[in-house]
Amino acid sequence: MDSEDRVFKLESLGAEELVKFGRILDHRPAQLHGCNVLTELAERLLWVRTRSGRTTLLRANPVQSEFERQRGQRNIILKARQMGLTTWAAARFFLKTITLPGTLTLQVAHTQESAEEIFRIVHRFLDYLPDRLRKGCLRTSHANVRQIIFPVFDSQYRVVSAGERNAGRGMTVQNLHCSELARWPGDPAETLAGLRAALAVDGEEILESTPDGIGGCFYEEWRGAPETGMVQHFFPWWMEQRYRIKAVDKGSLTEEERALMERHRLSLAQIGFRRKTQANFRGLARQEFAEDAESCFLASGESVFEVAAIEQRLLSAPAAVESRHNGQLEIWLPPMHGKHYLVAVDPAGGGSEGDYSAAEVVELETGLQCAEFAVHIGGLELARLVTAIAAEYNDAFLVVERNNHGSGVLALIESVCRYPRIYRQAGQMGWLTTSLSRPAVIGRLNAGLIEQPDRFMSKRLLSECRSFVRLPNGNTGARAGTHDDRVMAMAIGLAARAELLEKNSR
């Protein structure tokens, strides 16, 4: 854009002028040739450090520009790695913070290291502002590794990590950016819910991440975006101009490469880059350098269970006919006279964090899932709840995993609750999960999902199955940020059912 097309002069900017711009940040005047005022302001005011180490004025790249064209009030971004969107979110929200009085911006990174890197970007924006602004209306009263306060505008800019438990609490946030949501620690869905509770009704929200396997908070947010009204943005790797290397020979192209080039108008240099990433990243190439919004999830993470069968059942799984304990106990098939049942329990320690205690009610004859609960309780409270459920289901067999917390729960079930039908293995109360038995019970559950998926009613259980993966250490379990308590309760239940049926057939 030529200098005569500019809509403002740097030397004229002051508090009044910034506030005027704040009112029209997303306007698209004709003289800006399709650009909005925010983009124009960013490209005149904000400095960034390039990957080569130079400091230069920000220039919106194709990905950043496309996001600005399609952006809504609530946005979710699925992207390839290093597309510049975290920098653009910081630039966008920094400008809103210094032009709209009373603004609180909160950026949340997946690690403390990433939070510090984002804050360095924001500090660079501040440090390179014209002296007239930085020493005048945008002087700061407080600036540290977490927070910048602009007292003249009564505005704040904060960057925190998702691991900080109190992030966003007690605040009213106007701008919320959640970076790399798929890789947040702990319970990302719970953390995100707390942050959203702090977001003003008219606040702006940006969730963004590279994919990290099927299941988990980011995956569910992406899938649910059409229903929740979030604007979906997908940015494949070839939108980044740097992702080109030496062109490959045209005669060496595979059919897949030819089809990809034709469909997306790629160059031979881009195919060269693609081959290099596939060689370097192997199975993770489609995760780190996404090509479409479906395969990038399927390619990331190694699901233990048959994903296609789970996805198919999720489409037809019925709603519960009854719900108790604030939705934590769901019932699909109430107990029927003459039927026999078991209740399989995967206990946890209780408390509001960590694993859930989960239980699955299974009909012995058919293997149908009848009811399910998962809740943060343990000890005597858990013992009383599972014995009540087992008693309701015609004095069902109570199968409790005796590992860790389970031994204490079993003792309470026997001595305090005095429940008579406790499952025993080799004469000892409860089910023992070992390094040998675990793969077997998981395998049985996988076979059931493939052969008889209609036996499984719970969408929550199916979602846990979807994010149950092979871990880097060779074990299996819930992918980071997800749970596997329902999975283990059902796996134990099906294995115990097989043993009970075999005993009864003798």
Side-chain angles (χ1 to χ4, degrees):
M1 191 178 301
D2 297 332
S3 59
E4 58 265 30
D5 293 323
R6 301 294 186 180
V7 296
F8 66 88
K9 295 180 180 180
L10 290 178
E11 58 270 19
S12 69
L13 286 179
E16 291 185 7
E17 289 75 21
L18 287 175
V19 171
K20 288 178 182 178
F21 277 117
R23 299 191 190 111
I24 61 168
L25 275 182
D26 292 318
H27 288 201
R28 300 183 185 276
Q31 67 265 36
L32 290 182
H33 308 302
C35 248
N36 61 13
V37 173
L38 185 142
T39 300
E40 167 73 3
L41 201 60
E43 293 188 342
R44 294 296 312 277
L45 279 182
L46 304 184
W47 290 71
V48 295
R49 179 163 293 167
T50 66
R51 289 180 175 84
S52 62
R54 293 188 305 110
T55 302
T56 182
L57 276 168
L58 173 63
R59 290 288 180 263
N61 67 28
V63 172
Q64 295 164 341
S65 297
E66 185 64 19
F67 172 76
E68 274 301 306
R69 279 192 287 272
Q70 298 183 14
R71 179 197 52 80
Q73 182 180 349
R74 300 179 62 234
N75 306 273
I76 184 165
I77 302 171
L78 172 62
K79 63 184 181 65
R81 67 187 315 199
Q82 296 184 347
M83 307 291 275
L85 285 160
T86 297
T87 296
W88 187 257
R92 177 173 180 77
F93 287 165
F94 180 78
L95 289 176
K96 294 185 76 174
T97 305
I98 66 171
T99 60
L100 295 169
T103 293
L104 172 56
T105 289
L106 183 63
Q107 285 191 280
V108 187
H110 65 300
T111 64
Q112 185 59 43
E113 182 181 8
S114 296
E116 291 170 1
E117 178 57 34
I118 292 172
F119 209 61
R120 280 193 286 271
I121 293 171
V122 178
H123 261 293
R124 192 173 294 112
F125 293 158
L126 176 63
D127 293 341
Y128 278 78
L129 288 175
D131 285 349
R132 186 170 183 271
L133 291 175
R134 189 165 45 81
K135 296 179 180 179
C137 62
L138 294 182
R139 66 184 182 276
T140 60
S141 64
H142 183 73
N144 58 25
V145 294
R146 298 178 183 273
Q147 180 181 24
I148 302 174
I149 296 177
F150 301 98
V152 172
F153 283 83
D154 190 25
S155 294
Q156 298 181 46
Y157 201 113
R158 297 188 179 191
V159 183
V160 299
S161 74
E164 296 184 38
R165 292 182 56 189
N166 295 320
R169 293 188 184 274
M171 307 177 189
T172 299
V173 178
Q174 281 70 42
N175 306 307
L176 175 63
H177 171 218
C178 301
S179 177
E180 287 298 336
L181 177 58
R183 290 164 175 77
W184 280 15
D187 188 337
E190 184 177 333
T191 303
L192 180 60
L195 293 168
R196 280 175 165 162
L199 187 64
V201 174
D202 59 348
E204 185 174 335
E205 178 182 8
I206 300 175
L207 311 181
E208 56 89 1
S209 189
T210 50
D212 189 25
I214 288 177
C217 180
F218 179 70
Y219 178 78
E220 297 299 337
E221 289 287 335
W222 176 263
R223 281 171 54 92
E227 287 73 40
T228 59
M230 296 196 81
V231 179
Q232 288 179 308
H233 307 266
F234 173 65
F235 298 113
W237 63 264
W238 51 77
M239 290 188 68
E240 170 53 55
Q241 296 172 319
R242 295 177 301 110
Y243 290 161
R244 292 164 171 80
I245 59 173
K246 183 180 177 181
V248 301
D249 181 76
K250 192 173 182 179
S252 69
L253 292 173
T254 65
E255 289 187 15
E256 180 196 24
E257 290 169 341
R258 289 181 186 277
L260 195 66
M261 287 183 67
E262 183 176 344
R263 187 162 59 249
H264 300 290
R265 299 181 180 180
L266 304 187
S267 68
L268 293 171
Q270 288 173 305
I271 295 299
F273 173 83
R274 183 176 188 261
R275 288 185 183 179
K276 182 179 179 181
T277 61
Q278 288 179 335
N280 291 341
F281 288 86
R282 299 176 183 266
L284 293 177
R286 289 192 179 182
Q287 169 183 303
E288 300 297 319
F289 298 93
E291 296 187 345
D292 66 76
E294 295 298 326
S295 67
C296 65
F297 284 112
L298 294 170
S300 55
E302 294 186 67
S303 296
V304 171
F305 299 111
E306 188 63 37
V307 173
I310 295 170
E311 293 289 336
Q312 188 65 33
R313 180 53 179 160
L314 274 167
L315 295 174
S316 59
V321 299
E322 185 182 349
S323 178
R324 303 177 193 167
H325 299 283
N326 296 319
Q328 295 165 329
L329 171 60
E330 293 185 302
I331 298 172
W332 290 269
L333 300 170
M336 294 181 64
H337 179 71
K339 295 285 187 180
H340 301 284
Y341 303 90
L342 67 80
V343 179
V345 186
D346 178 25
S352 60
E353 298 181 6
D355 293 334
Y356 291 86
S357 291
E360 301 288 350
V361 181
V362 176
E363 185 186 335
L364 268 177
E365 182 181 357
T366 62
L368 283 169
Q369 181 186 24
C370 300
E372 172 186 270
F373 85 77
V375 62
H376 285 301
I377 60 173
L380 183 57
E381 188 179 5
L382 175 62
R384 285 175 170 161
L385 178 58
V386 296
T387 52
I389 294 172
E392 180 179 347
Y393 274 85
N394 302 343
D395 295 325
F397 277 105
L398 196 47
V399 185
V400 181
E401 185 183 45
R402 68 174 184 261
N403 304 57
N404 304 318
H405 304 288
S407 58
V409 173
L410 279 164
L412 291 168
I413 290 171
E414 182 183 42
S415 62
V416 178
C417 302
R418 298 185 180 279
Y419 190 76
R421 301 193 76 193
I422 301 174
Y423 172 88
R424 295 175 182 271
Q425 225 179 19
Q428 189 171 352
M429 287 192 304
W431 174 279
L432 180 64
T433 301
T434 67
S435 59
L436 294 177
S437 67
R438 183 181 170 93
V441 300
I442 295 298
R444 183 182 294 277
L445 175 55
N446 192 28
L449 288 165
I450 296 170
E451 296 167 4
Q452 295 178 294
D454 291 350
R455 291 192 303 178
F456 304 96
M457 309 295 175
S458 168
K459 290 186 177 181
R460 292 174 175 175
L461 167 65
L462 293 166
S463 295
E464 283 194 6
C465 290
R466 194 169 52 187
S467 57
F468 193 84
V469 299
R470 292 179 179 85
L471 302 171
N473 62 6
N475 295 331
T476 58
R479 193 171 51 80
T482 64
H483 295 276
D484 62 8
D485 313 290
R486 293 175 175 88
V487 170
M488 291 310 302
M490 179 57 76
I492 291 167
L494 294 180
R497 169 180 174 261
E499 288 191 7
L500 288 168
L501 290 176
E502 184 179 354
K503 288 178 181 178
N504 291 339
S505 66
R506 292 172 184 170

